[in-house]
Amino acid sequence: MKIVKKEEVKKVINSDTSQLLEYSLKLQDKDLDFCINTIQGRYPQKGYCTNLKCKEICYILEGKGVIHKRNEEIQFDKGDVILIDKEEIYFWEGDCQIIMICNPAWYKEQCRLIDDFSM
């Protein structure tokens, strides 16, 4: 069993529109991680993102917004849960706070920022 106290959480600024409270750095678990992401605007700020290795389950703690995929827009509100499969291509847009749990644990090298869908 492991516990991460709120004073041990690392604040990570992804961009001007995304800030993370990163619990997983202290958990050091290769199978799961946990963070709270605050998005204000569009993330990534241009293009799209995808994760090559992990699934993400996202609980909308506060706010609302839209996930933009190739030919689809998914609106979300406080209390919704979103499952993002590995290799899905998307971007977030909104004013929200999201609990994110990844399996296997997220790490920077498995995430890709891309300009468009012509990969």
Side-chain angles (χ1 to χ4, degrees):
M1 183 179 300
K2 296 178 183 177
I3 185 170
V4 179
K5 298 287 192 171
K6 68 180 176 180
E7 57 271 7
E8 298 175 309
V9 175
K10 180 171 172 124
K11 185 175 184 179
V12 177
I13 298 176
N14 266 354
S15 71
D16 291 341
T17 59
S18 174
Q19 295 182 42
L20 300 172
L21 295 177
E22 190 62 72
Y23 290 75
S24 60
L25 299 174
K26 186 74 174 175
L27 287 174
Q28 297 183 348
D29 187 302
K30 65 179 180 169
D31 297 321
L32 287 173
D33 75 359
F34 180 95
C35 76
I36 299 174
N37 191 353
T38 300
I39 296 174
Q40 294 178 309
R42 186 188 196 282
Y43 181 80
Q45 290 175 276
K46 63 178 185 169
Y48 300 84
C49 59
T50 188
N51 192 299
L52 303 174
K53 301 285 183 185
C54 67
K55 287 185 174 186
E56 299 177 59
I57 191 154
C58 306
Y59 175 78
I60 310 306
L61 191 60
E62 294 291 335
K64 62 183 178 178
V66 179
I67 292 182
H68 298 267
K69 294 175 61 173
R70 180 181 301 196
N71 296 314
E72 184 178 10
E73 290 184 356
I74 301 167
Q75 294 189 11
F76 60 84
D77 291 292
K78 177 180 177 177
D80 293 348
V81 170
I82 302 164
L83 176 63
I84 302 173
D85 209 351
K86 66 180 179 178
E87 299 181 349
E88 283 196 270
I89 299 170
Y90 62 93
F91 69 87
W92 296 92
E93 190 171 36
D95 186 7
C96 54
Q97 193 171 51
I98 306 167
I99 293 174
M100 302 175 117
I101 300 170
C102 297
N103 176 273
W106 184 93
Y107 56 92
K108 187 176 183 176
E109 292 76 20
Q110 70 193 21
C111 183
R112 295 283 184 266
L113 298 177
I114 55 178
D115 292 330
D116 58 38
F117 284 103
S118 57
M119 297 179 13

